[in-house]
Amino acid sequence: MIATLKAVEASQLQLVEREDIDDEEDLFESIDKLISAGINTGDVKKLQDAGIYTCNGLMMHTKKNLTGIKGLSEAKVDKICEAAEKMVDISLEGDALLRRKSVIRITTGSQALDELLGGGIETSAITEAFGEFRSGKTQLAHTLCVSTQLPANMRGGNGKVAYIDTEGTFRPDRIIPIAERFGMDPAAVLDNIVYARAYTYEHQYNLLLGLAAKMSGEQFRLLIVDSVIALFRVDFTGRGELAERQQKLAQMLSRLTKIAEEFNVAVYMTNQVIADPGGGVFISDPKKPARGHVLAHAATIRLMFRKGKGEQRVCKVFDAPNLPEAEAISFYLNFSVKFF
């Protein structure tokens, strides 16, 4: 059931079934259509088992990766790709502005933060939030779990949420007061959050493959990874494994990028910080996001969170292709009700 709202007599907003809403136009060709193009049903099933559910998603993989799928030979891969290319226009796109109109901006629950981000968290993009502990990254993730389920006229995403937790910080009981703040049924909101706890970087990557199956059949609008780097700092140790760690991280981020664009979902991932020994005494805050350029180039929008005075939390646009560098100060007015 997609999280959508309607007014009831008790002046409370509740979730309604998807059948009450007009169906949206399909943006991507389902990979099942390859069967009508002469591709064997068993080969299509093998692609789905590998996490590929649309022709667009298929074109995001190299033939080398596809031949690595058990049971697919080079000849089969060539035939599959040829059929997919006929269904997907892989020429240079001349309607980039038109495609941008499909982007949905999901409210953060904070007017100041929404104005900073040009309306909220964008779909089809990766938003990275980095900062030290207790700076508000995970609290924003909890708020987005609820605001994503709001209808479009309330600046929501009208879709489900997937939450991959690598640090054990997700708290369902925090969702309840946030849902009540938006006038939503907490039980229905929790039903629309798909949660998974990851314990290794391999487990984390495999969860992304499983999510593709759900996103191909249901309407998701947000994927949260909290945090994206924690397991890589545990499973790889020392400089001797640095190259392998960065390569595996790049593959993980590439998968997140493909999910964001293939299913038009917003990817919100948190990142940790490290002390910068080269910062010197002339820099007031000598901390920088972990994992350097690999993570920096993968993220579309980078937000830096830091603690302010008292209950203040400050968010700064660190890097974005369409946003100026600016700051927004958010207040935890009432920790039990309102985060920003």
Side-chain angles (χ1 to χ4, degrees):
M1 180 178 63
I2 298 299
T4 312
L5 305 174
K6 67 177 182 180
V8 295
E9 295 180 357
S11 70
Q12 184 185 24
L13 296 173
Q14 293 185 343
L15 299 165
V16 298
E17 295 291 344
R18 178 63 188 170
E19 287 74 18
D20 295 340
I21 311 163
D22 294 335
D23 293 333
E24 293 185 357
E25 181 181 357
D26 292 334
L27 297 177
F28 304 100
E29 297 287 349
S30 172
I31 204 169
D32 291 333
K33 294 184 178 180
L34 290 177
I35 299 176
S36 61
I39 304 302
N40 186 277
T41 305
D43 294 337
V44 172
K45 180 64 167 58
K46 292 171 185 176
L47 292 172
Q48 292 174 335
D49 291 340
I52 304 173
Y53 288 85
T54 66
C55 292
N56 298 72
L58 177 66
M59 303 310 297
M60 293 177 183
H61 290 75
T62 63
K63 290 185 178 181
K64 180 181 177 181
N65 290 337
L66 295 175
T67 53
I69 299 174
K70 187 177 180 180
L72 293 183
S73 62
E74 291 186 8
K76 286 184 177 181
V77 169
D78 289 339
K79 184 179 179 181
I80 291 172
C81 291
E82 183 180 352
E85 287 174 3
K86 294 179 181 179
M87 295 184 178
V88 180
D89 183 11
I90 60 173
S91 60
L92 294 176
E93 296 184 19
D95 58 346
L97 183 60
L98 183 63
R99 289 183 62 86
R100 283 289 296 173
K101 291 183 179 180
S102 66
V103 171
I104 299 171
R105 288 179 172 82
I106 302 170
T107 179
T108 62
S110 164
Q111 182 177 354
L113 197 52
D114 283 349
E115 292 176 355
L116 181 72
L117 299 177
I121 302 294
E122 286 188 7
T123 59
S124 296
I126 295 179
T127 301
E128 173 201 357
F130 67 89
E132 60 182 338
F133 64 95
R134 208 172 61 84
S135 59
K137 308 185 300 295
T138 299
Q139 301 300 338
L140 176 57
H142 282 73
T143 303
L144 288 172
C145 283
V146 180
S147 64
T148 299
Q149 301 183 41
L150 292 169
N153 60 2
M154 295 183 67
R155 297 185 298 142
N158 191 32
K160 291 187 175 183
V161 179
Y163 197 117
I164 297 179
D165 187 3
T166 66
E167 297 181 318
T169 54
F170 178 72
R171 294 293 181 269
D173 47 301
R174 296 301 309 127
I175 299 297
I176 297 175
I178 304 175
E180 292 174 347
R181 167 196 166 190
F182 285 103
M184 302 175 70
D185 179 12
V189 170
L190 288 170
D191 286 342
N192 285 281
I193 301 175
V194 177
Y195 172 81
R197 176 76 162 95
Y199 294 95
T200 67
Y201 80 93
E202 293 175 335
H203 186 199
Q204 183 178 346
Y205 186 82
N206 290 334
L207 287 172
L208 295 178
L209 297 179
L211 275 175
K214 285 187 169 294
M215 290 184 176
S216 65
E218 304 174 55
Q219 182 169 293
F220 280 78
R221 280 292 175 258
L222 177 66
L223 168 59
I224 297 174
V225 183
D226 186 19
S227 84
V228 69
I229 202 64
L231 299 177
F232 287 89
R233 303 181 86 172
V234 175
D235 296 338
F236 296 93
T237 57
R239 290 187 175 271
E241 296 182 333
L242 179 60
E244 183 182 3
R245 175 173 62 182
Q246 294 297 83
Q247 183 183 45
K248 295 296 183 182
L249 176 61
Q251 292 174 353
M252 177 86 66
L253 295 170
S254 175
R255 184 62 187 168
L256 289 173
T257 301
K258 292 172 182 176
I259 288 177
E261 297 187 8
E262 183 178 356
F263 300 106
N264 193 27
V265 301
V267 175
Y268 174 82
M269 63 183 187
T270 65
N271 187 18
Q272 301 169 354
V273 293
I274 58 177
D276 185 5
V281 296
F282 300 103
I283 299 179
S284 59
D285 191 12
K287 291 186 290 292
K288 61 181 182 180
R291 294 287 60 82
H293 297 290
V294 171
L295 195 58
H297 288 296
T300 311
I301 300 170
R302 310 191 81 189
L303 305 177
M304 182 176 68
F305 283 77
R306 71 174 188 269
K307 305 169 188 174
K309 295 181 180 180
E311 295 182 344
Q312 291 183 6
R313 296 296 180 270
V314 181
C315 175
K316 177 181 179 180
V317 174
F318 193 77
D319 179 43
N322 61 331
L323 299 174
E325 185 174 315
E327 289 186 351
I329 299 178
S330 301
F331 298 87
Y332 292 100
L333 299 178
N334 186 333
F335 194 75
S336 63
V337 178
K338 196 170 183 179
F339 290 113
F340 292 97

